[in-house]
Amino acid sequence: MAKNETSDKPAQAPLIEPGHTYGSITDKISSVVTTRKTPISWFIGFAIAFSLLMVFLSSTAYLLMKGTGIWGINVPVSWGFAIINFVWWIGIGHAGTLISAILLLLRQEWRTSINRFAEAMTLFAVAAAGMFPLLHMGRPWLFYWLMPYPNTMAMWPQFRSPLVWDVFAVSTYATVSLLFWYVGLVPDFATLRDRVNNRGAKLVYGMLSMGWRGSAIHWYRYETAYLLLAGLATPLVVSVHTVVSFDFAMGVIPGWHATIFPPYFVAGAIYAGFAMVLTLSIPLRKVYGLEDFITMRHLQNMAKVMLATGLIVVYGYMMEIFTAWYSAGEFEEAMISNRFNGPYKWVFYSLLLCNAVAPQFIWFSKVQNSVIGIFIIAMFVNVGMWLERFIIVVTSLSQDFLPSSWDTYTGTIWDWATYAGTIGLFLTLMFLFLRLLPSISIFEMRTMVVEEDKGGKES
Amino acid sequence: MELSETIKERIEGWQKRALTVGVIAAAVSVAGAFLSPAQFFQSYLVGYLFWIGIAAGSIVILSLHHLVAGGWGFTIQRILESSARTIPLMALLFIPVVLGMKDLFIWARPEVVADDLILQHKAPYLNQTFFVVRALFFFLVWSVLYFFLTKWSADQDKNGDAALSRKLQRFGGPGILLFMITMTFATIDWSMSLDPHWFSTIFGLMFIIGQGLLTLAFATIVVSGLTDDDNLAAFVKKKHFHDLGNLLLAFVSLWAYMSVSQFLIIWSGNLPEEIPWYLHRSHGGWDWLVLFVVIFHFAVPFALLLLRRNKRRANILVKIAFGIALMRLVDLFWVIAPNFHPHGISVHWLDLVAPAGIGGIWLAFFFYNLKGRALLPINDPRLSEAAAHE
């Protein structure tokens, strides 16, 4: 930083610390995978994650034996934790696609070192999200009834229901995300194939790399395919969470039926997703010593995106509250007053603290420069976005139009166990990914070396 | 580097023509105001909302540009600045809206409010005094925003102080924030409250996206006529038009996304307090107009802007941008006018003359601002970075 050309230029941390070459990048990233020694911290983390996964399996087994009655859902609140967690997880997934696809199209090079594991995060979050609607059906083995296929029962999905659109939106999203992630991995699979000594591992990476030799025509096709997939994935980021918001907004329940919901949900998803990327990348760079690649600038940029999307979410709150009064509808007004004064008011106040107040600290450069500060705010947002979905789902359902049908809702031990279990599922997959695949794109990082050099010389 | 004589003359020529059209159209509009005052105010409001869309929209696009500092932003920065500096004129042109308040807004008529419980409920917000106070507040905020955004950039032209770039960049985020909040409520006041029973939480955001789209289309049109300016010729490349085209595509898509979302949610809920808004706009000829909007405000520009070659050729992109700007006016007409003619479409000659009057005068002021400064912020250190970043 010392040889900075003009002092006036806003001082920005580099995207990759100086002194790296092609070789050092390849060594550093691939060594995480090719090393024989697995760090003890990995084992500890994996053990915790795997135990939580076992919690998931046992609570699911019990659920299949007993039925959804073991959850806290009741008659007005028929959508409890299952939907809250579904929306929470799927929202988290969105940041991965945003980073890898939209930032690629916007030519934001800083995405390079975080896109790979952000995409992995997307896949695992979608997997965790997918569990909930399946389990909430009560008879998950009949899930294929959701698909429109000719059958002897003459059953056909209700195409006017956004819940059916969800099936298409989420499955398309999962497929494209997987393809996008895999295509991006192919050149790195080849690198690993050439570097591992173990015969079995060589074979597996070799098959996964699909005969990649790095010839010009390979790269040409790769770039085209990657760009096309990025273009495909971009509208999917928007469409999935829009359809999720339609699940609520298409009905006439106060607190759900709001036209702001689609953009507000999409912003909320990206908000939660960036918080999760920060939550994962901060320990990751520390444990594996990847601070050279995931620099302060990455963390700052992500924190800024988090702040921006958080402000859109706050704009949504503001419009909801104003319109509830402006609409002069007594049910809308009652819903808002119920949020502020009702049985869940502490959840609502905590949500405001986490989502509206906490991220405002990112305005200060002192917080922007503090890894711990960013991490703490990201944790607040993770919690806050869960609470937000709780408020949306539960307050509106528990007190709707008819006071005689009102009831309160709390999650049971099984609700919490299933939720914690999906965190286990997510983390287990994440730990396996870190150990078996390059968590930072090796070949894209190599291109950064050239670009950083060029930038330095020209100015 | 100042403007060359040829460029200056060209802008002055445009300014003169705009002023001639503006003065004539304004004079005819004033005559129309005496013939049919109600119609005059209705047509005037559509025209006003169209042109303030560019003036105020420039503030938000300018803030966005300073925040991200991309090459595309530098190509149109001076155009946006000149347009944002017309805010005082727009504040002046707001006076007819205040004068016509009772003709335009039924909540401003005490005899209507007396019989309407909902309007009585809303009276603390929707009343004449507060309406004017809010409008003054909005203009105050926008004036502060445009003042600093343009002043710092002008100072930098003179003294070359690079620290001003940093200041502008820091101003971007809060600038967008303040603009979003004020413009949302301005939209509620000036457009949504025309049907005071109706409400939609996305309405303000959708309006702002429309303004951003219009502003970008306008800036694209103007810059394409000036690419032979010495500064611009050295900087502007095909790539920048490509970027502007992509931004137009993004805003067209966002606008369509929000419009469809609002429609789908209200249609599906089918509530008596919401659905009349769409019922009025889908009968008696308005249905044909909305079909026209769907095709030419979304489908056609979307398809054209997907193609790379249309975005890289300035002469084609300008035609698309022109079409988009025109469709913004049609869309505004579809949003505003059915409030006054819910039973069937009605197009008056004032609907064309009033927007032309405002536009002519506005454009003349805009071109006057434009010729005063170099067309590129040449002393901004980020400019050379953007130029090097190919």
Side-chain angles (χ1 to χ4, degrees):
Chain A
M1 301 277 309
K3 49 121 201 163
N4 222 339
E5 35 321 324
T6 39
S7 54
D8 43 81
K9 190 184 153 191
Q12 270 192 325
L15 286 175
I16 178 168
E17 291 295 336
H20 275 290
T21 61
Y22 288 178
S24 72
I25 286 176
T26 313
D27 286 340
K28 186 126 195 178
I29 302 173
S30 64
S31 70
V32 175
V33 178
T34 53
T35 177
R36 287 190 166 273
K37 274 188 295 188
T38 307
I40 186 78
S41 53
W42 186 91
F43 278 112
I44 297 170
F46 185 77
I48 296 170
F50 194 71
S51 328
L52 281 175
L53 176 61
M54 292 302 109
V55 170
F56 176 68
L57 291 184
S58 24
S59 50
T60 305
Y62 189 63
L63 178 82
L64 295 186
M65 276 159 57
K66 289 282 182 184
T68 47
I70 64 166
W71 287 348
I73 46 178
N74 51 37
V75 165
V77 191
S78 48
W79 279 7
F81 267 42
I83 303 302
I84 300 168
N85 295 336
F86 165 71
V87 181
W88 189 72
W89 274 121
I90 205 118
I92 284 172
H94 280 37
T97 322
L98 184 108
I99 290 172
S100 48
I102 297 183
L103 296 185
L104 176 82
L105 296 181
L106 293 177
R107 298 192 292 260
Q108 298 287 314
E109 284 94 2
W110 61 272
R111 71 180 262 290
T112 299
S113 66
I114 48 174
N115 65 339
R116 173 69 49 73
F117 79 85
E119 281 167 45
M121 184 193 82
T122 298
L123 283 178
F124 306 150
V126 171
M131 293 300 149
F132 287 103
L134 289 181
L135 296 177
H136 190 243
M137 284 192 300
R139 285 178 287 173
W141 50 91
L142 298 178
F143 75 95
Y144 59 89
W145 286 10
L146 289 166
M147 293 289 172
Y149 70 101
N151 59 61
T152 53
M153 301 176 289
M155 278 220 321
W156 207 244
Q158 167 58 279
F159 278 110
R160 278 195 181 186
S161 163
L163 297 175
V164 173
W165 308 349
D166 252 345
V167 178
F168 301 115
V170 175
S171 53
T172 313
Y173 181 56
T175 314
V176 173
S177 301
L178 182 66
L179 275 175
F180 194 49
W181 184 64
Y182 181 74
V183 168
L185 268 166
V186 165
D188 281 0
F189 278 136
T191 306
L192 288 176
R193 170 198 65 197
D194 300 342
R195 288 193 150 237
V196 288
N197 296 321
N198 180 316
R199 177 103 193 101
K202 214 177 191 63
L203 201 70
V204 173
Y205 288 127
M207 285 204 286
L208 287 171
S209 67
M210 302 210 291
W212 180 271
R213 293 185 315 277
S215 75
I217 192 85
H218 282 179
W219 281 112
Y220 170 75
R221 285 182 183 143
Y222 166 84
E223 292 282 346
T224 315
Y226 199 65
L227 210 60
L228 277 176
L229 280 169
L232 262 179
T234 301
L236 286 177
V237 178
V238 178
S239 76
V240 173
H241 231 73
T242 300
V243 172
V244 170
S245 81
F246 283 163
D247 291 345
F248 299 96
M250 288 283 187
V252 293
I253 308 285
W256 286 9
H257 184 70
T259 47
I260 192 83
F261 259 37
Y264 154 67
F265 263 54
V266 172
I270 295 164
Y271 184 42
F274 270 82
M276 187 55 90
V277 179
L278 282 166
T279 310
L280 296 175
S281 58
I282 288 173
L284 171 79
R285 75 199 271 273
K286 183 93 199 132
V287 170
Y288 285 107
L290 295 174
E291 282 101 337
D292 286 2
F293 301 147
I294 303 173
T295 61
M296 218 39 225
R297 172 125 162 249
H298 292 102
L299 302 185
Q300 281 165 3
N301 283 351
M302 285 193 274
K304 284 177 194 163
V305 175
M306 199 164 75
L307 176 62
T309 46
L311 288 169
I312 302 179
V313 171
V314 174
Y315 176 91
Y317 299 159
M318 184 186 81
M319 288 321 292
E320 269 197 310
I321 293 170
F322 174 76
T323 308
W325 174 79
Y326 182 86
S327 72
E330 57 177 319
F331 298 112
E332 289 287 329
E333 282 183 75
M335 176 275 297
I336 288 293
S337 117
N338 184 30
R339 283 189 186 172
F340 278 102
N341 309 312
Y344 303 104
K345 65 176 174 191
W346 292 112
V347 181
F348 185 64
Y349 292 134
S350 319
L351 136 75
L352 289 182
L353 175 76
C354 292
N355 275 1
V357 179
Q360 305 310 323
F361 287 95
I362 301 174
W363 290 102
F364 302 105
S365 55
K366 210 169 190 172
V367 178
Q368 269 183 30
N369 286 316
S370 148
V371 180
I372 303 284
I374 293 177
F375 187 75
I376 292 172
I377 291 171
M379 287 313 266
F380 266 102
V381 175
N382 284 329
V383 175
M385 285 309 290
W386 191 87
L387 296 175
E388 182 196 295
R389 276 69 176 249
F390 183 91
I391 285 293
I392 291 174
V393 171
V394 176
T395 50
S396 287
L397 280 180
S398 67
Q399 300 194 5
D400 64 354
F401 304 98
L402 261 184
S404 61
S405 63
W406 289 1
D407 203 352
T408 50
Y409 169 88
T410 39
T412 62
I413 177 85
W414 295 105
D415 280 305
W416 288 104
T418 318
Y419 175 44
T422 48
I423 295 178
L425 170 69
F426 175 80
L427 288 178
T428 306
L429 291 168
M430 207 70 205
F431 275 109
L432 288 176
F433 160 73
L434 287 179
R435 185 66 188 87
L436 298 175
L437 298 172
S439 51
I440 295 178
S441 174
I442 301 173
F443 73 96
E444 280 182 309
M445 285 308 284
R446 289 192 205 124
T447 63
M448 299 295 293
V449 176
V450 185
E451 276 164 24
E452 285 283 308
D453 278 355
K454 198 172 69 183
K457 254 177 241 157
E458 269 177 9
S459 39
Chain B
M1 245 192 293
E2 282 298 304
L3 296 184
S4 66
E5 277 311 307
T6 44
I7 298 289
K8 208 163 204 168
E9 270 168 32
R10 190 183 308 159
I11 296 179
E12 267 163 7
W14 290 341
Q15 185 190 337
K16 220 170 278 170
R17 254 178 282 169
L19 196 64
T20 318
V21 172
V23 169
I24 294 172
V28 176
S29 304
V30 171
F34 286 102
L35 291 173
S36 48
Q39 181 59 49
F40 165 77
F41 287 124
Q42 294 160 12
S43 309
Y44 186 87
L45 185 67
V46 174
Y48 184 81
L49 289 174
F50 179 80
W51 291 103
I52 197 153
I54 307 180
S58 296
I59 297 175
V60 72
I61 301 288
L62 203 54
S63 304
L64 181 71
H65 154 60
H66 283 304
L67 198 65
V68 300
W72 61 271
F74 290 109
T75 60
I76 58 171
Q77 182 179 333
R78 283 296 144 88
I79 294 167
L80 297 176
E81 285 175 8
S82 309
S83 146
R85 280 157 68 206
T86 61
I87 287 288
L89 173 71
M90 291 317 284
L92 215 61
L93 289 177
F94 190 69
I95 293 172
V97 178
V98 175
L99 294 178
M101 213 191 287
K102 282 195 179 167
D103 280 305
L104 291 169
F105 302 100
I106 56 169
W107 53 258
R109 298 174 201 159
E111 69 279 10
V112 177
V113 179
D115 292 336
D116 193 322
L117 281 174
I118 292 182
L119 292 190
Q120 285 165 24
H121 171 94
K122 296 186 185 192
Y125 184 82
L126 293 180
N127 62 69
Q128 301 195 35
T129 325
F130 196 24
F131 179 85
V132 176
V133 170
R134 280 196 304 271
L136 286 173
F137 175 71
F138 300 147
F139 284 113
L140 180 75
V141 172
W142 299 337
S143 299
V144 170
L145 291 177
Y146 96 77
F147 178 77
F148 287 110
L149 283 168
T150 57
K151 181 182 180 293
W152 287 337
S153 167
D155 288 352
Q156 197 175 43
D157 271 9
K158 289 193 201 94
N159 59 22
D161 180 5
L164 288 169
S165 296
R166 186 99 207 260
K167 254 180 166 173
L168 282 165
Q169 187 154 20
R170 293 196 156 193
F171 199 74
I176 294 176
L177 195 66
L178 279 172
F179 180 84
M180 295 283 281
I181 294 170
T182 46
M183 189 45 98
T184 299
F185 284 96
T187 306
I188 292 172
D189 287 7
W190 304 346
S191 174
M192 196 163 100
S193 80
L194 289 167
D195 182 349
H197 283 209
W198 186 73
F199 53 88
S200 165
T201 36
I202 204 177
F203 195 73
L205 201 59
M206 191 163 76
F207 221 84
I208 292 170
I209 295 295
Q211 293 180 334
L213 175 64
L214 174 60
T215 305
L216 284 165
F218 173 76
T220 307
I221 296 168
V222 177
V223 76
S224 73
L226 297 168
T227 41
D228 50 345
D229 168 67
D230 297 336
N231 287 320
L232 282 179
F235 179 76
V236 176
K237 303 204 172 53
K238 276 187 176 173
K239 182 190 105 142
H240 295 128
F241 282 101
H242 193 172
D243 284 349
L244 286 172
N246 279 334
L247 277 167
L248 285 174
L249 177 64
F251 272 80
V252 162
S253 311
L254 265 177
W255 172 84
Y257 167 69
M258 293 189 179
S259 307
V260 169
S261 297
Q262 176 180 284
F263 169 69
L264 212 53
I265 289 169
I266 289 179
W267 168 79
S268 149
N270 205 16
L271 294 174
E273 56 267 36
E274 290 179 341
I275 199 72
W277 199 86
Y278 278 106
L279 291 180
H280 294 157
R281 281 161 183 75
S282 56
H283 286 105
W286 293 117
D287 42 353
W288 291 103
L289 190 67
V290 73
L291 188 68
F292 186 73
V293 169
V294 170
I295 296 171
F296 291 100
H297 196 313
F298 173 65
V300 171
F302 180 80
L304 291 175
L305 287 169
L306 276 180
L307 300 175
R308 190 182 160 85
R309 63 190 154 95
N310 287 347
K311 288 180 279 197
R312 293 185 81 87
R313 285 193 205 141
N315 58 341
I316 297 181
L317 189 66
V318 162
K319 289 188 187 111
I320 301 173
F322 211 82
I324 289 175
L326 216 61
M327 285 314 295
R328 279 306 305 143
L329 185 64
V330 177
D331 178 52
L332 272 176
F333 184 68
W334 179 74
V335 168
I336 305 292
N339 287 308
F340 314 116
H341 311 283
H343 301 299
I345 194 164
S346 142
V347 185
H348 195 267
W349 58 268
L350 272 168
D351 287 328
L352 290 173
V353 177
I358 304 173
I361 294 169
W362 184 85
L363 280 171
F365 188 35
F366 163 78
F367 286 125
Y368 169 78
N369 287 337
L370 188 65
K371 71 179 180 195
R373 293 177 186 174
L375 290 176
L376 265 189
I378 26 179
N379 284 336
D380 194 324
R382 298 174 297 171
L383 184 71
S384 53
E385 261 172 64
H389 202 272
E390 288 298 270

